[in-house]
Structures are given as structure tokens and as C-alpha cells.
Amino acid sequence: MFEKLRQEVSVLLNREDLKTDIRLQQVCDLLKNTVPHYDWVGFYFKNGDKEELKLGPYAGEPTDHTIIPFGKGICGQVAVSNQNFVVPDVKAQDNYIACSITVKAEIVVPLFVNGENIGQIDIDSNTPDPFTKEDERFLEFVNKEVAKILV
Ligand code: SME
């Protein structure tokens, strides 16, 4: 599944006739609609010079958490750690921002442009403990492809 998806993501992101946000939106839709354990897929980006993340394109239920301060929640922690954060069980996390009661697990992978952490891809799953190294490698690939169109 991920091999074919990699190709589809690359094709979408290379659509130079479409604005960046439209391409990112299509990537979110593609991932959410293709991967059974991806129930919410979104990008957060550093909000200008502020120490906070701002929600960008996403697919899934609308969330109240359109701004997340650095350090808060899983997303805010990744903004400062620069590391992937895989959460098999969100209930076991004390620094977690709940978006929906149906969410069981989450993965956040930072997005680097020229070595700088400028945002992240965030996936919520309604399936407990669904994420593997394969998800990590795939989402790192997606972010590298996105980084190419942001520079
Ligand atoms: N759960 C995230 C907040 C963002 S929502 O999942 C869309 C967190 O703890 O940072």
C-alpha cells in the first residue's frame, strides 16, 4: 500500500498548476481515504515568528485546535524535540490535547526545510496501537516531498 501511495503523493505534489495548499489538501485527502488506520490527517506549520503551530490543510473532522503553543500536546512537543512521536495509546499521555473522543492513537512527524523544523504532519487513528516503522518511513517520505515544494 505505501509503495503505491508514495508514487501517488509525488505525482500530486508535483502538480505545478495547483497552489501549494491545494496540493497539501489533496495529500491529506489521499492519505485519509487510502490508509484504513488514518482517520484524521493534517499539517501544522510554525506560525510566523511565534512559538506556536497553526493548522494548515487537513482531512477529517474539524478541530478546535487550530493554534497549538510549542510544548503543548503531542504536536507542540514535536515542534521542540524535532523527533517523530508515536503514541500507541493517547490515554497514557499526560501532555495530550484531545480532538475527538474516538481517537485512540496518534503519530506526528516533523517537517524540515533546510534542516529547520517548520511544521509537521499529524495523524490520528481510531484504531489502538496501529502505527509501525513503515508509517514513520512513509510519513518522513511525504514530508521530504512536501519540503521540496515549500522552498
Ligand atoms: N492531539 C494533538 C492535537 C491536534 S489534534 O490531534 C488534530 C496533540 O496532542 O498535539
Side-chain angles (χ1 to χ4, degrees):
M1 170 177 64
F2 285 125
E3 200 41 57
K4 183 163 174 261
L5 255 189
R6 279 176 199 234
Q7 290 171 22
E8 289 171 349
V9 165
S10 297
V11 169
L12 266 182
L13 288 173
N14 283 311
R15 286 280 305 273
E16 284 174 16
D17 54 317
L18 299 176
K19 290 206 172 100
T20 302
D21 269 7
I22 303 287
R23 287 185 256 176
L24 294 183
Q25 181 64 55
Q26 292 188 352
V27 168
C28 292
D29 293 336
L30 175 68
L31 267 52
K32 180 180 179 292
N33 294 336
T34 311
V35 186
H37 58 286
Y38 290 5
D39 294 294
W40 190 95
V41 177
F43 289 96
Y44 281 93
F45 292 103
K46 187 176 189 320
N47 193 11
D49 289 339
K50 296 184 190 156
E51 298 284 290
E52 66 184 28
L53 295 161
K54 187 174 182 216
L55 183 61
Y58 68 93
E61 291 296 309
T63 172
D64 289 340
H65 307 291
T66 53
I67 297 284
I68 299 178
F70 279 18
K72 297 275 184 214
I74 308 304
C75 297
Q77 292 178 76
V78 170
V80 291
S81 74
N82 305 323
Q83 308 277 335
N84 295 351
F85 199 154
V86 181
V87 181
D89 173 10
V90 295
K91 285 208 181 76
Q93 294 292 321
D94 46 19
N95 189 358
Y96 168 71
I97 303 166
C99 282
S100 151
I101 51 160
T102 61
V103 175
K104 300 279 196 300
E106 177 163 8
I107 183 171
V108 179
V109 173
L111 198 167
F112 300 97
V113 172
N114 297 327
E116 191 191 342
N117 181 351
I118 59 105
Q120 51 193 237
I121 190 165
D122 176 20
I123 317 272
D124 282 343
S125 183
N126 298 340
T127 307
D129 195 8
F131 301 114
T132 68
K133 290 285 169 202
E134 254 202 294
D135 295 274
E136 289 191 67
R137 298 295 90 78
F138 170 64
L139 297 169
E140 287 163 2
F141 169 84
V142 171
N143 281 354
K144 278 197 184 121
E145 292 291 292
V146 170
K148 287 186 202 163
I149 69 163
L150 294 180
V151 287

